[in-house]
Amino acid sequence: MLFAMNIQMYYLSPPFGPACFFLKSVAPKGVELQDIFVAVLPFIALQAIGLALVLFIPDIAMWLPNLLD
């Protein structure tokens, strides 16, 4: 679960962040790539908080499978 969450953070984070390049390809002419990278920073921060929560409280990630038991 932590690996999947980490990969999702990579998908948004600079300098590579493929999702940011996808957004740049469909953005209007005036939008720079740097603007997109700045705009995704709050989402990266939220994902980092979620990653830390799952790291320190693993039951968060396992509550749904535990319901099926």
Side-chain angles (χ1 to χ4, degrees):
M1 180 58 78
L2 291 174
F3 178 75
M5 292 176 76
N6 237 346
I7 292 298
Q8 176 58 34
M9 283 181 64
Y10 151 78
Y11 198 64
L12 286 177
S13 62
F16 301 110
C20 296
F21 290 105
F22 298 151
L23 286 172
K24 174 63 175 144
S25 69
V26 296
K29 295 274 186 210
V31 178
E32 298 293 327
L33 189 58
Q34 183 178 355
D35 298 332
I36 294 172
F37 280 143
V38 169
V40 299
L41 287 177
F43 296 101
I44 294 171
L46 286 172
Q47 288 180 349
I49 291 169
L51 184 70
L53 284 172
V54 172
L55 178 64
F56 294 112
I57 310 169
D59 288 337
I60 291 173
M62 297 304 296
W63 73 271
L64 184 59
N66 287 339
L67 288 177
L68 302 175
D69 286 339

